[in-house]
Amino acid sequence: MRAAVLQGVGGPEQLVVEEVPAPEAADGEALVDVRAAGINFADILVRRGMYPQMPELPAVLGSEVAGELDGRRVMGFVLSGGGGYAEQVAVDRRWLLPLPESASFAEGAAFPMAFLTAWIPLTELVRIAFGARVLVTAAAGAVGTAAIQVVKALNGAPVAAAGSEEKLELPRSLGAVEAVTYDGIGELGQVDVVFDLVGGDVFEQTLGLLKPLGTAIAVGYAGGMWQELNPAWLVGRNIGVHGFYLGRLLGRNPELVARAAQDALRLWERGAVRPIVGAEYPLEEAADAHRLIESRKSTGKVVLIP
């Protein structure tokens, strides 16, 4: 079968499409014929050699897919070191979900990681009161657009921040009540919750916007690692900071993640949310798909089509 294989650490040219042996399903796994594979920023970090848990290279990346299994349309996670950038992949049956009838395979590949990364922390780590202002950074990306929709579904008031004016139209169309570029974050009023996917200086700046008893959730560090926080500063401002990492939670509390997946799926099935696919690339153009994400010009989820 064909797969986009990461040959080594480096630039997008390290992704090479070649023939590889078909996977074998272990106990409890199923072989899914992949029709679409989502690309996550974690894949970019792996390719750069910057991910905390690096796989042994060469490797096939890709942690979420949508496809067909025994005539059924499914989507799900690939937990055993990836493998989604391929025509076929072995998936633990526990992490397979039915793909809604009206959904495309590309939308299915854009759903699991983005919506669980938004849904779990926004329901388990904080309480979104009616009308609560929730600032979402990287709001035009896959997780950001999911978070905007989740906040709206929870009757909160999503506030969007993104890297350019061009990217702000998407979160506005999804229900953001206010939208600014990162240069304009300081002009925002106070917020109840920060959901941050950027890290670095942006995360530090958003902490100053929190109301007393407000909470920041640190999720991503696409813009740089977080600076150390002195608990005395948090105590003095009466604010809290949570961290969220879906990959680790999948291993430590799979039951919670499984329940959350069903909750998020029900939201989609009733039309309250939808995954946003920003671009689709054939498998042979996996390197170009990575280049688009690294250019910071992509919106929504970038998806590969084997």
Side-chain angles (χ1 to χ4, degrees), residues 84-116:
Y85 292 12
E87 293 179 319
Q88 197 174 55
V89 66
V91 182
D92 190 321
R93 290 182 180 273
R94 295 177 300 173
W95 299 113
L96 286 172
L97 297 167
L99 182 63
E101 290 184 5
S102 62
S104 68
F105 287 116
E107 288 175 321
F111 182 78
M113 300 291 286
F115 276 88
L116 283 179

Side-chain angles (χ1 to χ4, degrees), residues 14 33 261:
Q14 293 289 341
D33 293 323

Side-chain angles (χ1 to χ4, degrees), residues 142-274:
V143 179
T145 53
I148 292 288
Q149 295 178 79
V150 167
V151 171
K152 186 178 178 183
L154 294 172
N155 295 312
V159 177
S164 68
E165 288 287 348
E166 293 77 14
K167 287 187 173 184
L168 295 179
E169 185 55 37
L170 179 54
R172 286 192 185 106
S173 73
L174 297 172
V177 299
E178 198 170 352
V180 299
T181 62
Y182 297 135
D183 291 340
I185 283 180
E187 301 170 10
L188 291 172
Q190 288 188 313
V191 299
D192 299 280
V193 175
V194 168
F195 182 86
D196 178 62
L197 298 158
V198 178
D201 294 338
V202 169
F203 179 68
E204 184 178 15
Q205 190 177 7
T206 63
L207 293 179
L209 301 177
L210 283 172
K211 295 177 181 178
L213 305 184
T215 303
I217 306 172
V219 182
Y221 55 97
M225 292 300 293
W226 306 279
Q227 298 183 17
E228 292 188 10
L229 288 172
N230 187 332
W233 187 81
L234 300 177
V235 171
R237 290 187 54 83
N238 283 285
I239 62 173
V241 175
H242 284 292
F244 182 75
Y245 175 23
L246 179 60
R248 188 64 57 81
L249 189 64
L250 278 162
R252 294 192 172 185
N253 197 337
E255 294 82 9
L256 184 152
V257 177
R259 290 195 304 270
Q262 294 298 326
D263 291 339
L265 179 58
R266 281 191 287 270
L267 274 184
W268 187 10
E269 289 175 333
R270 73 171 193 243
V273 301
R274 61 184 176 91

